[in-house]
Amino acid sequence: MLHSILNSLVEEATAFLRRRRDGDVGGDVDPQTIRQALARYDFAEAVDRDALLGEVIKLSEAWTLHSTHPRYFGLFNPPSLPITVAADALVALYNPQVGTWSHAPFAEEVERHVLRYLGARLGYVADGPDPAGDFSAHFTSGGQEANATAIGAALMYRFPELEEGGLRSLPGSPVVYVSRHAHHSFFKACKMTGLGTAALTEVPVDERGAMDARELERHVAADRADGRLPVMVVATLGTTGMGVIDPVKEIARVCEANDMWCHADAAWGGSVLLSERHRGLLDGVQETDSTTWDAHKWLSVPMGAGMFFTRRAAAVTRLYRLQTGYVPSANYEDVVEPYAATAQWSRRFIGLKLFMALAELGQPGYEELLNRQVENGQLLARRLAEEGWDVVNETPLPVVCFRAPGLDADGSRALVRAVVASREAWVSTLRLPDAEPVIRACVTSFDVERDDVEALVEVLGRARAGLARDART
Ligand SMILES: *Cc1c(COP(=O)(O)O)cnc(C)c1O
């Protein structure tokens, strides 16, 4: 049975990949249309398997925004490297329980192996006879979970009494500092941890949009004087909106001087560490206490692959440790039981896809993909400037924010709508604090070619001309 399903799948998957580039990027559909199609599935009786497979493929293609398309210039949602599709299928086949070492020894060690390699790229794991140090890392569902883990670990590190007593045992209110351009997962994490969003302080940024370390120092001092408890600072290494890299060295120094945890949110940007040419951009990350890094963004593996790294394993242990009477434990000293060391319990084998991609490509192969995307980002910025757009961000990472001179906020929004409606390319609007919205285009696919960049510039030009025509009539 599996044989015939997989055979059909192979046919369908290869056909999809062959036609993807020529298809459109996709766009709007209203929920009613989809609900009507699904209403036929009332589960009262079985349906034919081949028909089902065909229908799911047809509807998925019709009603998915094809973020894997080379002309999707969107939000860090890459196509999956082919080997990672095979990896995820193998994971589904063996379905190892990665919550406990005894059930999935191979999976656990694969993940450990990959995470130590990347930990070394981060500068957290030293080479040599005792490379372990106080390093620990684990796979997460994504950056959201990793960032929430960072907050939990930072709190446990600073206030061990929290493990039992909770926030009510603290002598004051903890404060977490982020830049004004930080990812909003920290708002969610503050609510989930019971800190509340009032615990979050948004530090002003400089003219490029990077956290101002002097402002950070000033805020920390003022909060201290007020009896609040500064706990953690987040340095975003590649902001979601404009690709800005916060001055992580200076931030780490402020943390050191004030006994605060320094967390690097490198969900997207972390991957440049696999590029010898560009890894220097993240210099200073080795001085942080923890890092969030998503494999499902710039490393092009399927979703559900975040990573959390730390140099302070004890704090994470305190955050998640517990004992049960029903999970068998491994009889090896240096293995961890993920269910008692991470936020998840039952967990799928997240690391295999990254292991196989790293093994197949090697660091040089990944470097080539990353460098090419950086070059295409630079090409896009240059071509937009040549065509008379105002490029408003400055970053070495491949994301470009821009506007048409003379076009107001409504105009920019209308322009983005026109591009999306064309289904030929996809870009989005970026709203920044205290600023007019701008248009945002990010190179997220390793399949992007110079022609795709040119095609985007052309679609944008047409949309702009269309707006100008509408304005005259
Ligand atoms: C995407 C992103 C996140 C959230 O990660 P998910 O994997 O989507 O949960 C956090 N921080 C930054 C900087 C991001 O770009």
Side-chain angles (χ1 to χ4, degrees):
M1 186 163 82
L2 190 62
H3 187 258
S4 80
I5 300 176
L6 289 182
N7 269 344
S8 321
L9 208 51
V10 168
E11 293 296 316
E12 294 291 350
T14 39
F16 169 65
L17 292 182
R18 267 199 306 273
R19 66 178 172 262
R20 177 166 65 193
R21 177 175 278 282
D22 299 323
D24 65 36
V25 185
D28 271 351
V29 52
D30 65 285
Q32 282 318 323
T33 308
I34 303 172
R35 287 171 198 167
Q36 265 159 26
L38 291 178
R40 270 185 286 149
Y41 294 92
D42 61 3
F43 311 127
E45 53 193 275
V47 301
D48 174 72
R49 191 195 314 132
D50 289 333
L52 176 63
L53 192 61
E55 172 110 325
V56 167
I57 287 168
K58 189 180 101 196
L59 300 186
S60 297
E61 283 194 32
W63 295 331
T64 300
L65 177 61
H66 288 290
S67 52
T68 65
H69 195 291
R71 289 192 299 283
Y72 168 85
F73 292 91
L75 303 164
F76 310 144
N77 301 309
S80 308
L81 288 160
I83 192 126
T84 66
V85 178
D88 253 8
L90 289 173
V91 170
L93 177 66
Y94 297 114
N95 202 22
Q97 167 57 284
V98 185
T100 169
W101 199 93
S102 68
H103 281 53
F106 174 66
E108 309 284 358
E109 293 300 314
V110 164
E111 293 198 338
R112 179 175 186 275
H113 187 71
V114 168
L115 291 166
R116 291 173 68 84
Y117 169 71
L118 297 178
R121 299 295 295 190
L122 272 171
Y124 280 6
V125 186
D127 293 328
D130 174 30
D134 204 17
F135 172 76
S136 88
H138 60 268
F139 281 93
T140 64
S141 55
Q144 172 71 61
E145 182 191 326
N147 283 342
T149 293
I151 290 188
L155 285 166
M156 290 290 169
Y157 177 68
R158 180 71 191 283
F159 306 110
E161 65 269 32
L162 272 174
E163 187 177 2
E164 207 183 315
L167 290 174
R168 71 181 72 75
S169 63
L170 299 188
S173 308
V175 190
V176 173
Y177 303 86
V178 297
S179 104
R180 296 192 68 186
H181 293 181
H183 193 266
H184 287 77
S185 49
F186 291 102
F187 280 89
K188 237 199 260 183
C190 279
K191 290 196 275 184
M192 288 161 61
T193 48
L195 289 174
T197 55
L200 213 52
T201 292
E202 289 185 288
V203 180
V205 294
D206 64 17
E207 66 287 346
R208 276 185 317 114
M211 183 186 284
D212 185 329
R214 279 187 319 263
E215 286 283 345
L216 170 66
E217 248 176 329
R218 207 175 53 72
H219 274 85
V220 171
D223 285 341
R224 287 215 140 142
D226 282 350
R228 303 175 86 202
L229 308 171
V231 169
M232 165 172 150
V233 184
V234 178
T236 308
L237 306 185
T239 59
T240 313
M242 300 201 300
V244 176
I245 297 171
D246 282 340
V248 61
K249 274 198 163 168
E250 288 172 50
I251 293 170
R253 217 167 296 131
V254 176
C255 288
E256 176 89 52
N258 289 278
D259 196 17
M260 294 186 293
W261 183 284
C262 188
H263 177 65
D265 183 0
W268 174 52
S271 297
V272 295
L273 290 170
L274 286 181
S275 162
E276 289 302 320
R277 188 184 303 163
H278 298 299
R279 66 184 297 180
L281 293 172
L282 265 50
D283 185 38
V285 71
Q286 68 278 7
E287 288 163 33
T288 60
D289 297 293
S290 60
T291 295
T292 287
W293 179 354
D294 275 349
H296 64 208
K297 286 183 175 166
W298 209 357
L299 295 182
S300 302
V301 312
M303 303 257 176
M307 297 177 283
F308 175 79
F309 298 85
T310 184
R311 295 194 296 142
R312 303 200 184 280
V316 183
T317 304
R318 193 174 289 140
L319 178 63
Y320 291 127
R321 68 181 164 193
L322 46 79
Q323 265 165 1
T324 72
Y326 45 87
V327 182
S329 57
N331 291 319
Y332 301 95
E333 226 172 72
D334 64 343
V335 307
V336 290
E337 293 293 349
Y339 78 93
T342 71
Q344 299 185 34
W345 200 288
S346 294
R347 178 161 80 67
R348 87 188 248 111
F349 185 6
I350 299 170
L352 184 64
K353 45 200 170 192
L354 185 53
F355 172 78
M356 292 182 79
L358 275 167
E360 189 196 31
L361 291 173
Q363 176 273 326
Y366 254 123
E367 162 138 30
E368 198 204 311
L369 296 185
L370 295 162
N371 290 356
R372 200 168 63 227
Q373 284 170 269
V374 168
E375 279 159 28
N376 278 319
Q378 285 160 356
L379 173 68
L380 178 60
R382 197 171 66 239
R383 289 290 297 119
L384 287 169
E386 281 168 13
E387 297 292 319
W389 301 83
D390 285 340
V391 173
V392 300
N393 70 327
E394 198 189 312
T395 176
L397 302 176
V399 57
V400 189
C401 300
F402 54 100
R403 64 161 77 88
L407 209 59
D408 62 6
D410 286 340
S412 290
R413 277 190 283 261
L415 203 148
V416 167
R417 275 199 305 276
V419 171
V420 170
S422 79
R423 303 172 82 97
E424 289 177 57
W426 200 93
V427 293
S428 56
T429 311
L430 171 68
R431 267 177 297 115
L432 291 170
D434 306 331
E436 292 269 281
V438 292
I439 305 166
R440 177 184 178 284
C442 179
V443 176
T444 60
S445 168
F446 53 81
D447 271 341
V448 170
E449 290 170 8
R450 298 173 70 94
D451 283 353
D452 297 304
V453 172
E454 290 300 337
L456 173 62
V457 172
E458 202 221 303
V459 172
L460 283 161
R462 251 188 286 139
R464 187 170 156 193
L467 284 186
R469 240 185 348 263
D470 292 348
R472 280 197 305 273
T473 55

